[in-house]
Every structure is written in C-alpha cells, then in structure tokens.
Amino acid sequence: MPHAQTRPWFHPAGSTGHGPWALDLGTADSVVQVPGWEHTGIRSAEIAPGGHVHLGAQNEERLVLPLSGSFDVQVEGARFELEGRASVFHGPTDVLYAGIGTEVRIGSADGGRVAVASATATVEYPVRHVGKAEVPVELRGAGAASRQVHNFGTPAALDADRFIVCEVLTPAGNWSSYPPHKHDEETDGETALEEIYYFEMQSAEGMPVPPPEEGGPDLMGYQRVYASDDREIDVTAEVRTGDVVLVPYGWHGPAMTPPGHDMYYLNVMAGPGPLRAWLISDDPHHGWIRRTWEGQEIDPRLPFDG
C-alpha cells in the first residue's frame, strides 16, 4: 500500500480513467479531484481508427499532443492535421494549442494515442499549430545526467496564458530532473508552479526482451519528491507507462531509469503568479553536480529519433 504522503500524488495507470479517457486528472470536469490541486490537468485517450473524442468549452487552455499516431483536430470550425510519430521515443511531434472557451474534437483515421495538457486560464490566446520541425530540441545535462527535452510549450516557443509544457526523454541508466530542484514560491529567482509528470517506458535498444513464460518485460523507473519546508510530502514512486506523479510543492528529482529501460515523461506546469516562467532553486545539497558536467560529453545515445 502506498505511503500516506504518497497516495494523493501518485496515480497508477488506469486509476483516473472514465469513458473514452484512460487518464483524466486535474481538469475542470475530472472525475478524480485532488484537494489543493488547482492549476494543471492532463488527459490521455486511445482513439480507434475512425474514432474521435470531444472536449467541451472550459476556462482552460489546452495543448493536444500525439503520443503515437497522427490526428486531425477541429477547434471552433477550423481543422488542423497533426503529423504524429510511432511512439514518444521517435522524436518530436506536431502539437496544437487551443485557448480558453473553445470546443476541441480530436479524431484519427488510423487510430493512435493522444494526450491533452491543460491549465486553468483567463486570457484568450489564438489557436496555434506547431509543426514538429519547429519544436526546439534541447540536450540537457551531461554524462549519466544527459536527457533530451522537447520545448514546444515553453514561453520562448509558444504564446499562452498560464501553462508551460515540455517532454523529456532519458536513456536507460540515466538520471533526469537532476539535481533535485523546486519551484514552489514566488521570489525574485523562483516561480510557484505545480507540476505533472506523465510517464512512458520502453526497452532500450539492443536489450533482450524476456519472453511471456518468464513474465515478460517490466519496464519501470522511479520518481522522487520530498519536502522543502514544513509542508509534508514524501514520494518515492515506482513508475510505469501511463502512471502520473503530481508535484504540488517541494524538491523533486531525480527521475531515475534503470539499465535496460528508457524513460519518457510529459511535464505540465502552471501556477498563480504573474510571471509565466520556469524559475527554479536547486537543493543546495545537490546543486553542485551541475559543475561536473562541464568536463563531460552528452550521452551519445541522444537524440532519440526512432
């Protein structure tokens, strides 16, 4: 049984699903509501060939993100074709931003899996289709802390009211979201942002896959969240594809992936402050690790491109 301080913040795959949605957490009309969670939400669905899902108008901005497959999205009568990918480990994808008060219909001729990131918002921004070739790809860290970041929903790449959205890919055996850091208060050097981590895993290239008679693969990683002040939180979650960890406050990181297992996570951040920016503070016990990257190379397994 999860630790009492873990239970509100860790949501295994399937635990928040309803109707067509395999995952629906933190949105205005979610079946599962988390006390104190106010600013961000995430949905995911598997759409059958020729099928669709519909989102009614809400006071939230949304980002439609193909996880696998390609999609057509209709927003207020306009239609957009999103060129997707075979999986989240096959490089960037097209994404679509839809602002507040808009209905969204997501369909797919061939079927696939789609995620929708959201944030409570008040200022209207226009619909924007971001093609995969436009997505800024960043290789962050070095050595065993190397990871790949797709910055399609950051302030530098996308005009929006509240949220910051990106995805991070971490090769097997590496540490991501490292050093541990926080963004849970409004200061000159920090912005208060709650954060969603949505995970997917795959077997690393060249790794043998155990056959079903031996139990098959169990692709998993770990996510750590712990207190930065007198607000209690203590999460060490074993995460698999479809799992979600919520970070309301506190130090978070590392996100660790064992040898043989590549890790993906989608981050959705938003908060109450006036500035839409990702400003962080490192845990002073671990922040020094950044200085060691200066003499190391980026992991040669990056970038992931399928």
Side-chain angles (χ1 to χ4, degrees):
M1 180 177 293
H3 189 282
Q5 294 174 31
T6 298
R7 202 173 293 118
W9 313 123
F10 173 58
H11 297 268
S15 63
T16 68
H18 66 92
W21 300 104
L23 165 66
D24 187 356
L25 189 61
T27 57
D29 53 357
S30 294
V31 172
V32 177
Q33 295 290 330
V34 178
W37 197 259
E38 301 178 9
H39 304 288
T40 57
I42 187 169
R43 297 177 173 92
S44 72
E46 183 159 356
I47 299 178
H52 74 275
V53 292
H54 175 266
L55 293 170
Q58 296 281 359
N59 289 325
E60 61 182 29
E61 56 187 356
R62 295 161 173 156
L63 192 80
V64 181
L65 171 79
L67 299 172
S68 64
S70 296
F71 298 87
D72 62 88
V73 184
Q74 297 179 39
V75 181
E76 300 296 299
R79 183 169 180 167
F80 303 87
E81 297 288 340
L82 300 190
E83 182 181 352
R85 52 196 172 179
S87 80
V88 295
F89 296 96
H90 283 72
T93 178
D94 288 13
V95 300
L96 185 80
Y97 172 85
I100 60 173
T102 57
E103 295 188 21
V104 179
R105 182 188 185 276
I106 306 169
S108 178
D110 298 320
R113 293 186 308 110
V114 66
V116 182
S118 64
T120 302
T122 57
V123 179
E124 183 177 354
Y125 281 81
V127 176
R128 183 179 171 198
H129 176 201
V130 179
K132 61 174 62 180
E134 301 175 69
V135 173
V137 177
E138 174 190 2
L139 300 184
R140 185 179 297 172
S146 298
R147 59 272 206 188
Q148 176 177 334
V149 187
H150 298 163
N151 288 310
F152 44 72
T154 60
L158 179 71
D159 288 335
D161 183 19
R162 304 306 306 168
F163 64 24
I164 298 171
V165 189
C166 65
E167 58 186 7
V168 181
L169 299 99
T170 308
N174 283 11
W175 285 28
S176 199
S177 283
Y178 190 70
H181 56 280
K182 72 181 184 77
H183 37 74
D184 60 9
E185 57 184 336
E186 291 290 327
T187 67
D188 289 342
E190 193 174 323
T191 44
L193 302 167
E194 63 183 28
E195 183 168 12
I196 295 170
Y197 280 71
Y198 164 81
F199 291 92
E200 298 205 0
M201 307 293 298
Q202 74 167 9
S203 292
E205 184 177 2
M207 293 299 295
V209 177
E213 61 268 23
E214 295 180 10
D218 182 18
L219 306 176
M220 52 78 175
Y222 297 89
Q223 171 72 18
R224 180 79 174 114
V225 187
Y226 57 100
S228 60
D229 51 32
D230 59 359
R231 293 172 290 181
E232 291 187 355
I233 188 167
D234 186 2
V235 178
T236 303
E238 191 172 279
V239 295
R240 293 172 172 81
T241 293
D243 290 354
V244 170
V245 172
L246 303 179
V247 183
Y249 44 77
W251 306 114
H252 46 288
M256 300 163 282
T257 182
H261 303 173
D262 296 326
M263 172 184 282
Y264 163 96
Y265 54 84
L266 174 64
N267 281 148
V268 187
M269 293 173 275
L275 185 64
R276 180 178 171 241
W278 184 64
L279 302 180
I280 66 170
S281 298
D282 286 337
D283 183 334
H285 294 98
H286 301 281
W288 58 266
I289 198 69
R290 292 187 189 275
R291 298 193 298 272
T292 70
W293 298 343
E294 296 174 3
Q296 299 183 61
E297 299 293 329
I298 294 285
D299 192 312
R301 293 173 291 178
L302 295 177
F304 284 98
D305 58 9

